[in-house]
Amino acid sequence: MSVISFRSRDAGVAGWFPRLGRGMLRPHWYRLIDALLAVFVLAMLVAMNLMIEREVIPYHLLFLALTLVYGFRVWPLRQTLLVTFAITVVTGWILVAHQIQDGSSRAELAEVPLMPMLFLAMVWHARRRVAAQQQVELMAEERLALFDRERQFFREASHAMRTPVTIARGHLELLEPVVSGDESRQDLAIAMRQVDRLSALSTRLLALAKLDSGRAVRHQELDLSGFLDQIGKNWRDGADRDWVVGRLPSMPALADPVWLELALDALIENAVHFTGPGDRIRLSGGVSGQWYVIAVADSGPGIRTEDLPHVFDRFWHRRPPNAPMGSGLGLPMAQATAKAHGGRVSASRAPEGGALFELTLPRQQDSGPVED
């Protein structure tokens, strides 16, 4: 990352030209450029003094060289103004002396203030550009630091929650055989559901932290068709819904079966939460160009249009009509998993009337991650 300092007080060659700030080149290259520029400026001043009636040629070349070098990097403001003032005085003295000597038109004297003003205007714009670049770099560093702190918090919070949640669940299970009365059993069931929710929250926090680190996914050869059939069978045996698992073509892919199963479980779990007994949930897959597409659709209430931009936000909830509140991390985890594989998850309305989530995976793993 290149950062240009405006506070440098180092003088350049012969004390006239300030040294360049830190940049992409090595320091000796900066010194060489300073020296070459100083030599060129002195040569143009000598040429102006010798080329009577044609002194404007080296005069313009002098300011052109200053502009080009300043556009390459930005000098400290104080030294820039001093150099500009010194060059303006010397070149102005030469132009006035020549005008008096040969009695030529005074129109060329208008360039004495005009060229420095044009150069200083370029200086102003260049410094604004560099200041904006520094601000962008600072914001990028702050955002990266915030992202690292968020990932560290996810990892530490998930670990810190797992032990007390496990202990609390164990004690609640010990109480279950001795609790009597409908009201007490109902209270115990509510406590168990909340503990289960905390357990799911800690598990998905840890999963997101691992996915954010970029080192969690381990690709291997996987037949998506058989993989999806098994996932559909697992859910069909455990949830009272009208399950439709499409006949899938052979889809060989490079993927991490553990993470992919977690992502699909999150999508299917969302469909289960927003449907009731007898409602339809459809699991299908296919090929679209260079992508495999795995779809999870349901006949539930669907997603409101104003909610679509937020369904993959972390901790954002849509309250199920007849199910407990989720962790708010299932869909973000599915999205993070898909991106770790070079794909993505999209949400829309299903033909069945409910929600449709489509997880896409590249058919060739050399496809890079998809940007938002």
Side-chain angles (χ1 to χ4, degrees):
M1 184 177 297
S2 173
V3 178
I4 302 177
S5 172
F6 292 103
R7 297 183 180 179
S8 174
R9 300 186 180 216
D10 295 333
V13 178
W16 283 104
F17 296 96
R19 295 175 64 183
L20 297 174
R22 293 180 180 273
M24 296 298 294
L25 300 179
R26 297 180 182 274
H28 68 273
W29 285 107
Y30 295 138
R31 291 191 290 270
L32 177 60
I33 293 174
D34 282 338
L36 292 176
L37 179 61
V39 171
F40 184 81
V41 169
L42 292 175
M44 292 302 100
L45 292 176
V46 172
M48 285 183 64
N49 195 44
L50 296 178
M51 297 175 63
I52 300 177
E53 296 184 356
R54 295 192 302 275
E55 60 274 353
V56 292
I57 297 176
Y59 178 70
H60 289 157
L61 291 176
L62 186 155
F63 276 97
L64 177 61
L66 284 177
T67 302
L68 290 175
V69 173
Y70 195 90
F72 175 70
R73 58 176 177 181
V74 175
W75 297 330
L77 181 59
R78 181 180 178 182
Q79 285 89 330
T80 301
L81 295 177
L82 288 175
V83 168
T84 305
F85 176 76
I87 291 178
T88 301
V89 170
V90 175
T91 55
W93 177 81
I94 294 175
L95 289 174
V96 170
H98 286 186
Q99 192 277 331
I100 294 174
Q101 180 179 349
D102 60 18
S104 59
S105 172
R106 297 184 179 181
E108 293 180 354
L109 297 181
E111 297 191 22
V112 175
L114 179 60
M115 291 300 293
M117 288 174 61
L118 290 175
F119 173 71
L120 291 177
M122 189 278 301
V123 167
W124 179 68
H125 283 291
R127 294 182 69 83
R128 287 181 64 223
R129 174 183 58 80
V130 171
Q133 180 181 354
Q134 288 181 322
Q135 186 65 26
V136 170
E137 291 175 352
L138 179 61
M139 292 173 62
E141 291 177 356
E142 291 177 348
R143 184 170 182 179
L144 180 61
L146 178 62
F147 177 76
D148 288 338
R149 289 195 299 269
E150 180 184 90
R151 186 173 61 192
Q152 182 68 17
F153 169 76
F154 281 174
R155 183 165 52 248
E156 293 177 354
S158 60
H159 281 297
M161 290 170 59
R162 293 171 74 88
T163 299
V165 166
T166 302
I167 294 173
R169 182 178 179 84
H171 282 76
L172 289 175
E173 289 176 348
L174 291 175
L175 288 175
E176 189 172 5
V178 299
V179 169
S180 60
D182 293 339
E183 185 175 353
S184 296
R185 289 185 178 278
Q186 184 177 5
D187 292 339
L188 180 61
I190 292 174
M192 288 289 289
R193 285 197 299 269
Q194 295 306 314
V195 168
D196 289 340
R197 183 183 173 194
L198 284 174
S199 178
L201 178 63
S202 65
T203 300
R204 285 173 174 171
L205 278 174
L206 183 60
L208 281 170
K210 290 180 178 179
L211 287 170
D212 289 341
S213 70
R215 298 185 296 271
V217 175
R218 299 291 183 267
H219 296 99
Q220 64 184 62
E221 293 184 0
L222 180 67
D223 181 11
L224 289 180
S225 57
F227 180 74
L228 295 177
D229 284 339
Q230 184 60 47
I231 291 178
K233 182 179 183 301
N234 294 340
W235 278 95
R236 184 168 54 241
D237 296 339
D240 182 16
R241 301 293 187 271
D242 178 17
W243 291 94
V244 177
V245 180
R247 295 180 60 86
L248 306 177
S250 177
M251 296 191 297
L254 288 176
D256 188 317
V258 176
W259 284 104
L260 191 57
E261 183 175 1
L262 287 175
L264 291 174
D265 281 345
L267 298 180
I268 298 172
E269 180 184 31
N270 181 80
V272 171
H273 283 174
F274 283 88
T275 54
D279 288 339
R280 172 164 295 186
I281 297 178
R282 174 171 52 87
L283 178 63
S284 60
V287 178
S288 177
Q290 294 300 315
W291 302 91
Y292 291 128
V293 181
I294 303 172
V296 179
D298 63 71
S299 59
I303 307 173
R304 295 181 299 181
T305 303
E306 58 269 24
D307 291 340
L308 281 174
H310 307 291
V311 294
F312 298 109
D313 293 344
R314 297 179 181 183
F315 300 106
W316 186 85
H317 293 279
R318 290 185 302 138
R319 180 175 293 277
N322 300 307
M325 179 68 73
S327 65
L329 293 174
L331 295 180
M333 186 192 66
Q335 183 71 278
T337 301
K339 287 187 176 182
H341 284 79
R344 65 168 49 183
V345 180
S346 61
S348 60
R349 177 166 290 276
E352 290 84 353
L356 170 64
F357 290 94
E358 292 182 316
L359 188 153
T360 60
L361 298 174
R363 296 178 63 184
Q364 296 180 346
Q365 194 55 35
D366 57 0
S367 301
V370 177
E371 299 291 337
D372 285 334

